[in-house]
């Protein structure tokens, strides 16, 4: 017994020691926020103070030092976020995650984000180049010399940037340019929509295609070509195993209990598969003129909707510096994007601005025909109508793979751009890659840049200066609302949009024959001709809807978001004669879904003999369309519409094709059309009422299995938590609960307070994964009364109390102050050379 007691005592001591070591390590990972900190490369001392809202104020004596200090702070607070984003952008994930992420790395190498960024960097104006160089120096200075310990992600995955940083070579200026391109990739694409239409036409004719992918309400399909006939006559589709095997990337196996690296790879594959789809990537912004506010000065609100992540995509900071060293000074506060040296969304002392995604068609896929006599060539336009051929440009990319030999990936280019089908396995399952490949033309791959425009916006003091600043903004095109202290409000769509020839009968909505010159772009829409508004109605609002009148002479896209959010915002803006910050907050928190009310009659009459059907109908009685977290009705409705979509569209398209599209698209407009017209070609010979009843019964089976048989206890919020996912540890089950940030939420994809779900996620299909990545309200009567919030916290360190401290406030639609003159400092630090 004495030995047992000694052993138990020893185990207890070891546990105490382990806990003490863990606590010591956790404290070592926290950033220094008080006192003095030496940073090599600064020209003069810089004050880095955190205010009561945890906004970081960088008060420097030159713009260069301000940008460098921001790089240092981003590395302090978001080091792993920088490291992971850098690996994604460069296509080097496999260096520490192994072969499971090869597919993602190949896609990024094929797009050539790194090479484009390097070309853009070489052409930057001196001031813009100085900004990204100073920022990079700040990031490297932190990793090279800080005594702060690396966070757990670095240790677990064996990533250590410190030696490269000592040589000033870990983060470089092209990485900052590249991350701007990555944002354009996430927000500005529609190649997935084009490929989805191509894939669907394997089993549909052209009229059925437009029923599945209906144009914007009131519009005709943008393409007048008979696309189904075109692709059949060309022999585009893969038949009986045809293809040359060039698309050999395989997704990790999902059979059995996959390892955590494979789960990470699956997550990344799903993420990169969402590139090129813009349906669920939305935002809200609006600005109200002083004639419609209580103060007599404008109010501006913005809540950009992005994928929820932990840490958040944004970091709130202020950059203040006077003119120095030939560089113009600034004093700007708002949302910075870790990886870049400026405020993306925010305000100065004189003007405020907010973005939503415009979503124009700036990506076109081209079918490139391979020369049957020489597979190193593809077909190009010819003067005499006879086939002419040109060689592919080929670049070899070497990808280092942990635990394996290096992999050589050949990237082919055509005159339009990179051959995307060499890196996306799904393309090779649809088209005959022995005869055709798909090449991508995209505005963001041109030798242009956004850095100068964003730096200029950080110095603007008026709407006029903002309009001038964003004249050189390229991608992704944004709907910008703005207001200044003189009372002026305005809207402008800023970004580069291609022009297409009058005889282009496909207009970029589906892949076009690359050898026919009528499908080439013919130029660019001038900045003066992009949509704009001076607010004659007393307010301007955008929510990714069609942002121009029906008689606008230029084609931008047909893939606008359904107008539900926009119409609701307009209704609420008109309902209040004089607005204030409180009414702006109320609109941002609104969870009314007119789209739900539109389809509720079809649910209420859906026949079902399910044992829970009567209780479910009782829960739906009197439902007002508000998607409350504490209500059962939104859950019942959402499960029903999901099952209807799976049953009707999934059956027509086939399982594999449907699952490749669902989640990235909701097909809600299609479903509305089917139910309202009783479209039996889609619903089956028994009609849509029967299909609706079958879906209702299946939905009740699912809900009772997940939530029990007591319908009165069902809650939308239980199935619809906002999940801010951590990459990569959300995919490591023992760690996910610590690294993810979860909050109960209401709303759905069509409410102003959006709650976008990804129905392809089997573990939690109704979870809110894409929502307001921040909310901000700017009061031009006193800009220091402006407020903000986002869904996690400023710190990216899971051990920090600031990792998730905004989440409950965000869920409750609360805010924090955003002031250039905070009443107190929560911490004060001086960086010295």
């Amino acid at each position: 017994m004495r030995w047992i007691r000694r052993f138990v005592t020893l185990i207890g001591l070891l546990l105490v020691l382990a806990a003490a070591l863990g606590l010591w390590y956790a404290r070592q990972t926290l950033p220094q926020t008080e006192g003095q900190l030496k940073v090599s490369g600064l020209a003069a001392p810089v004050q880095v103070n955190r205010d009561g809202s945890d906004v970081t104020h960088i008060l420097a004596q030159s713009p260069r030092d301000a940008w460098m200090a921001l790089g240092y702070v981003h590395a302090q607070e978001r080091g792993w976020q920088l490291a992971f984003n850098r690996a994604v952008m460069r296509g080097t994930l496999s260096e520490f995650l192994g072969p499971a992420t090869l597919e993602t790395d190949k896609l990024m190498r094929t797009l050539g984000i790194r090479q484009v960024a390097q070309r853009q960097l070489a052409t930057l104006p001196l001031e813009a180049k100085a900004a990204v160089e100073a920022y990079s120096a700040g990031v490297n200075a932190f990793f090279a010399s800080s005594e702060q310990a690396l966070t757990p992600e670095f240790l677990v995955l064996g990533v250590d940037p410190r030696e490269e940083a000592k040589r000033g070579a870990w983060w470089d200026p092209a990485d900052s340019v590249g991350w701007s391109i990555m944002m354009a990739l996430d927000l500005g694409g529609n190649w997935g929509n084009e490929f989805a239409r191509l894939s669907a036409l394997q089993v549909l004719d052209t009229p059925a295609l437009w029923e599945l992918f209906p144009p914007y309400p009131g519009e005709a399909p943008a393409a007048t070509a008979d696309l189904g006939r075109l692709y059949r006559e060309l022999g585009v589709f893969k038949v009986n195993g045809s293809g040359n095997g060039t698309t050999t990337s395989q997704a990790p196996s999902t059979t059995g209990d996959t390892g955590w690296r494979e789960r990470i790879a699956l997550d990344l594959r799903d993420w990169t598969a969402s590139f090129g789809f813009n349906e669920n990537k939305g935002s809200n912004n609006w600005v109200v003129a002083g004639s419609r506010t209580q103060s007599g000065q404008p109010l501006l609100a913005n809540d950009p909707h992005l994928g929820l992540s932990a840490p958040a995509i944004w970091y709130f900071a202020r950059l203040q510096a006077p003119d120095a060293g030939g560089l113009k000074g600034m004093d700007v506060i708002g949302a910075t994007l870790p990886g870049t040296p400026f405020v993306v969304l925010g305000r100065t002392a004189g003007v405020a601005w907010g973005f939503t995604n415009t979503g124009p068609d700036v990506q076109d896929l081209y079918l490139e025909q391979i020369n049957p006599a020489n597979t190193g060539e593809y077909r190009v336009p010819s003067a005499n109508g006879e086939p002419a051929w040109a060689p592919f440009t080929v670049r070899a990319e070497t990808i280092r793979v942990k635990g394996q030999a290096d992999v050589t990936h050949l990237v082919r280019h055509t005159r339009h751009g990179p051959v995307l089908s060499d890196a996306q396995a799904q393309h090779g399952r649809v088209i005959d890659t022995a005869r055709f490949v798909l090449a991508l033309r995209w505005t963001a791959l041109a030798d242009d840049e956004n850095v100068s425009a964003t730096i200029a916006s950080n110095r603007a003091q008026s709407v006029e200066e903002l309009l001038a600043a964003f004249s050189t903004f390229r991608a992704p095109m944004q709907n910008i609302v703005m207001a200044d202290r003189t009372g002026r409000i305005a809207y402008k769509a800023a970004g580069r949009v291609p022009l297409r020839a009058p005889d282009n009968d496909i207009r970029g909505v589906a892949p076009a024959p690359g050898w026919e010159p009528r499908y080439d772009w013919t130029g660019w829409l001038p900045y003066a001709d992009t949509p704009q508004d001076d607010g004659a109605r007393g307010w301007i609002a955008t929510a990714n809807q069609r942002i121009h009148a029906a008689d606008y002479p230029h084609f931008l896209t047909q893939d606008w978001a359904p107008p539900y959010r926009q119409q609701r915002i307009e209704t609420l803006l008109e309902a209040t004669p004089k607005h204030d910050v409180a009414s702006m907050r109320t609109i941002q928190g609104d969870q009314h879904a007119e789209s739900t009310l539109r389809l509720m009659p079809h649910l209420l009459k859906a026949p079902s003999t399910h044992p829970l059907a009567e209780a479910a109908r009782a829960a739906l009685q009197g439902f007002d369309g508000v998607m409350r977290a504490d209500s059962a009705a939104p859950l019942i409705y959402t499960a029903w519409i999901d099952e209807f979509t799976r049953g009707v569209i999934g059956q027509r398209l086939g399982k594999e094709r449907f699952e490749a599209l669902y989640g990235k698209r909701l097909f809600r407009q299609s479903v509305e059309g089917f139910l309202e017209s009783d479209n039996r070609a889609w619903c089956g010979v028994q009609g849509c009422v029967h299909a609706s009843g079958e879906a209702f019964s299946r939905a009740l089976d699912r809900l009772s299995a997940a939530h029990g048989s007591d319908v009165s206890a069902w809650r939308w919020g239980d199935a619809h938590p906002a999940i801010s996912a951590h990459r990569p540890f959300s995919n490591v089950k023992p760690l996910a609960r610590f690294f993810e940030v979860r909050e109960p939420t209401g709303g759905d994809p069509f409410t102003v307070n959006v709650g976008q779900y990804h129905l392809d996620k089997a573990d939690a299909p109704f979870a809110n994964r894409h929502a307001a990545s921040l909310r901000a309200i700017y009061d031009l009567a006193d800009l220091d009364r402006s407020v903000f919030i986002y869904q996690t916290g400023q710190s990216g360190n899971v051990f920090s109390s600031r990792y998730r401290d905004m989440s409950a406030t965000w869920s409750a639609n609360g805010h924090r102050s955003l002031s250039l003159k905070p009443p107190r400092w929560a911490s004060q630090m001086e960086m010295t050379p």
Side-chain angles (χ1 to χ4, degrees):
M1 291 297 296
R2 183 168 64 249
W3 285 107
I4 292 175
R5 286 195 296 270
R6 289 177 178 174
F7 179 74
V8 170
T9 300
L10 177 61
I11 294 298
L13 289 172
L14 289 174
L15 289 174
V16 170
L17 178 60
L21 288 172
L23 181 61
W24 175 84
Y25 165 67
R27 291 178 64 86
Q28 296 302 114
T29 64
L30 300 177
Q32 180 181 337
T33 59
E34 298 276 4
Q36 282 197 336
L37 178 65
K38 288 192 176 296
V39 177
S40 177
L42 288 174
V46 178
Q47 293 295 316
V48 181
N49 302 337
R50 273 85 172 175
D51 65 20
S53 296
D54 202 21
V55 176
T56 301
H57 294 245
I58 295 173
L59 314 175
Q61 298 180 39
S62 71
R64 184 190 178 281
D65 278 358
W67 294 320
M68 183 176 179
L70 181 64
Y72 193 98
V73 167
H74 279 167
Q76 264 191 322
E77 300 271 36
R78 302 290 185 86
W80 175 250
Q81 186 177 34
L82 291 175
F84 191 80
N85 291 349
R86 174 184 180 272
V88 170
M89 173 177 54
R90 291 190 175 198
T92 58
L93 287 166
S94 300
E95 290 186 11
F96 58 87
L97 290 173
T101 53
L102 260 174
E103 185 172 342
T104 299
D105 283 344
K106 287 181 179 180
L107 174 60
M108 301 316 298
R109 300 293 184 98
T110 297
L111 290 172
I113 301 295
R114 177 73 175 165
Q115 287 81 6
V116 174
Q118 289 170 329
R119 291 200 306 269
Q120 291 184 5
L121 176 66
T123 62
L124 283 183
L126 291 177
E127 181 179 56
K129 190 173 292 187
V132 293
E133 287 174 348
Y135 179 88
S136 300
V139 173
N140 287 319
F142 168 78
F143 284 114
S145 61
S146 175
E147 295 180 2
Q148 182 179 323
L150 297 176
T151 53
E153 299 95 330
F154 289 99
L155 303 186
V156 172
L157 296 170
V159 177
D160 191 344
R162 289 175 293 196
E163 287 304 315
E164 274 191 89
K166 288 177 182 177
R167 301 192 301 272
W170 185 72
W171 189 275
D172 67 28
D175 289 322
S176 292
V177 178
W179 197 243
S180 293
I181 301 172
M182 287 296 296
M183 289 303 297
L185 178 61
D186 189 35
L187 291 173
N190 77 326
W191 90 57
N193 294 335
E194 294 186 35
F195 181 75
R197 293 183 180 108
L198 173 69
S199 177
L201 283 166
Q202 271 191 295
V203 293
L204 301 177
D205 60 17
T206 302
L209 177 77
W210 299 125
E211 293 177 331
L212 181 63
F213 298 93
Y216 194 72
E219 292 186 352
T224 57
D226 186 341
L227 296 171
R229 179 180 176 182
L230 171 68
Y231 297 143
R232 287 192 301 273
E233 290 180 349
L234 288 174
V236 167
F237 296 116
K238 185 173 184 177
V239 180
N240 298 326
S242 63
N244 64 6
T246 58
T247 314
T248 57
S249 299
Q250 296 296 319
S253 172
T254 58
T255 59
D257 183 19
T258 58
W260 63 270
R261 292 180 191 271
E262 285 70 28
R263 288 194 296 271
I264 291 169
L266 287 168
D267 170 62
L268 288 168
R269 186 196 67 185
D270 289 346
W271 176 55
T272 54
S274 72
F275 294 156
F277 287 91
N278 57 11
E279 178 179 289
N280 302 331
K281 297 171 181 178
S283 305
N284 306 315
N285 65 12
W286 60 89
V287 60
V288 181
S291 61
R292 296 292 304 273
T293 69
Q294 292 185 12
S295 70
Q297 287 289 334
L299 291 162
L300 189 149
N302 190 200
D303 53 296
H305 307 159
L306 296 168
L308 301 180
S309 62
I313 192 172
W314 306 109
Y315 182 88
F316 267 72
R318 173 191 183 186
L319 295 174
Q320 183 194 61
D323 297 354
L327 300 171
K328 188 176 178 182
M330 60 205 158
D331 193 358
V332 59
I333 190 168
T336 70
L337 191 66
T340 62
F342 30 65
V343 170
V344 179
L345 298 168
R347 71 171 184 90
T348 64
V351 68
W353 67 95
F355 286 0
T356 70
N357 205 31
T358 312
D361 187 345
V362 297
Q363 292 179 340
D364 278 1
L365 288 180
Y366 288 91
L367 285 162
E368 309 285 19
Q369 186 175 7
I370 296 173
N371 186 351
N374 181 354
T375 58
E377 295 180 337
Y378 68 99
R379 189 173 176 182
V380 295
S382 65
N384 58 11
E386 292 297 317
W389 310 95
F392 289 99
T393 301
V394 181
R395 182 181 78 248
E397 290 280 344
T398 301
I399 304 174
R400 295 174 55 196
V401 183
K402 184 174 183 177
Q404 292 190 6
D406 294 350
V407 170
T408 299
H409 174 59
L410 297 180
V411 178
R412 292 187 288 179
H413 269 255
T414 73
R415 67 192 187 93
H416 294 114
V419 175
L420 204 59
S421 53
D422 284 351
Q424 294 216 296
Q426 59 178 328
H427 292 176
R429 292 191 286 268
V430 174
I431 67 172
D432 182 353
T433 53
R435 303 183 64 219
F436 296 94
V437 294
L438 286 170
L440 172 70
R441 184 162 192 196
W442 175 30
T443 55
L445 297 183
D447 293 341
D448 295 308
E449 50 82 22
N450 292 336
V451 177
S452 298
T454 313
I455 290 174
S457 73
N458 284 198
R459 291 154 171 167
Q461 297 297 323
S462 68
V463 164
E464 197 63 38
E465 290 179 359
L466 272 182
L467 289 169
F470 287 119
S471 65
T472 59
F473 192 85
R474 295 294 184 245
M477 192 179 207
Q478 296 293 288
N479 298 320
I480 308 173
V481 296
M482 54 197 89
D484 65 26
R485 293 276 293 153
T486 70
R488 183 179 175 187
I489 67 172
Y491 156 80
K492 184 66 174 174
R496 174 166 277 188
V497 180
L499 297 174
R500 296 174 173 87
D503 61 344
N504 183 336
D505 58 358
I506 296 178
R507 300 180 90 182
V509 303
W515 56 93
E516 294 196 25
R518 62 176 165 149
Y519 297 121
D520 290 339
W521 295 353
T522 61
W524 307 105
L525 181 63
Y527 183 65
D529 293 339
T530 66
Q532 58 191 37
D533 189 342
D534 288 328
R537 288 186 296 180
W539 51 264
I540 309 165
T542 79
N544 317 110
Q545 84 291 356
R546 188 181 68 186
I547 41 86
H548 57 70
D551 60 354
Y552 182 67
H554 306 289
F555 174 73
L556 297 185
T557 185
Q558 79 165 28
D559 292 327
W560 306 108
Y564 291 116
R565 282 184 289 115
Q566 171 71 12
Q567 291 166 351
R568 180 63 176 170
I569 292 168
E570 290 185 3
T571 297
L572 295 174
L573 287 173
E574 284 294 337
T576 301
K578 297 287 185 179
H579 285 278
D580 58 12
V581 170
S583 67
M584 298 290 100
R585 177 182 288 125
T586 298
I587 298 174
Q588 284 187 334
D590 186 75
Q591 296 178 350
H592 173 88
E594 194 63 32
S595 61
T596 299
L597 292 180
R598 179 174 177 175
L599 293 182
M600 276 299 297
H602 300 280
L603 172 55
L604 291 173
K605 68 182 182 185
S608 173
T609 58
H610 194 282
L612 297 181
E614 288 307 312
R617 290 191 184 99
L620 293 168
Q621 291 302 317
F623 179 43
D624 58 3
V626 179
M627 309 296 278
R628 298 180 183 88
D630 60 357
S631 172
L635 178 58
I636 298 168
Y637 165 81
T638 304
W640 164 74
I641 201 67
D642 178 32
E643 286 296 334
F644 182 88
T645 306
R646 291 176 186 274
V648 170
I649 297 178
Q651 183 175 15
R652 183 83 179 269
L653 291 183
K655 183 176 185 294
E656 182 178 349
R657 183 173 291 101
F658 175 74
E659 289 181 351
L661 300 178
Y662 200 40
K664 306 169 191 68
R665 298 188 68 96
L666 292 178
F667 297 106
R668 186 63 54 87
Q669 290 175 275
S670 314
V671 167
E672 290 169 353
F674 300 158
L675 283 166
E676 291 169 355
S677 65
D678 189 23
N679 190 322
R680 295 183 179 230
W682 286 91
C683 291
V685 294
Q686 293 178 284
C688 292
V689 172
H690 176 78
S692 177
E694 294 290 304
F696 188 29
S697 296
R698 293 194 303 272
L700 294 175
D701 280 341
R702 281 177 64 186
L703 294 178
S704 59
H707 302 282
S709 58
D710 182 1
V711 176
S712 66
W714 293 355
R715 297 290 180 267
W716 176 226
D718 293 341
H720 189 62
I723 302 178
S724 295
H726 179 279
R727 284 194 172 97
F729 288 162
S730 280
N731 301 285
V732 184
K733 291 181 180 179
L735 299 177
R737 59 177 296 192
F738 300 105
F739 285 85
E740 283 184 346
V741 178
R742 294 190 176 219
E743 288 290 341
T745 55
D748 83 347
F750 305 102
T751 55
V752 176
N753 188 356
V754 78
Q756 178 69 55
Y757 37 69
H758 291 186
L759 293 168
D760 54 336
K761 302 284 190 183
D763 58 331
F766 303 139
N768 181 0
R769 301 177 188 272
H770 197 103
S773 62
L774 68 84
R775 297 189 189 98
I777 301 170
Y778 304 96
D779 184 352
L780 276 295
D782 182 356
L783 277 165
D784 279 333
R785 292 203 300 257
S786 301
V787 295
F788 81 101
I789 199 67
Y790 59 87
Q791 88 286 356
T792 57
Q794 287 276 76
S795 175
N797 183 347
V798 71
F799 296 129
S800 172
S801 62
R802 301 161 47 244
Y803 182 74
R804 63 185 78 227
D805 62 326
M806 295 189 203
S807 60
T809 305
W810 173 84
S811 179
N813 195 32
H815 291 87
R816 291 183 175 184
S817 174
L818 186 64
S819 173
L820 293 174
K821 297 176 288 186
R824 64 180 183 87
W825 297 120
S827 65
Q828 293 179 268
M829 180 180 69
E830 184 179 61
M831 290 184 180
T832 61

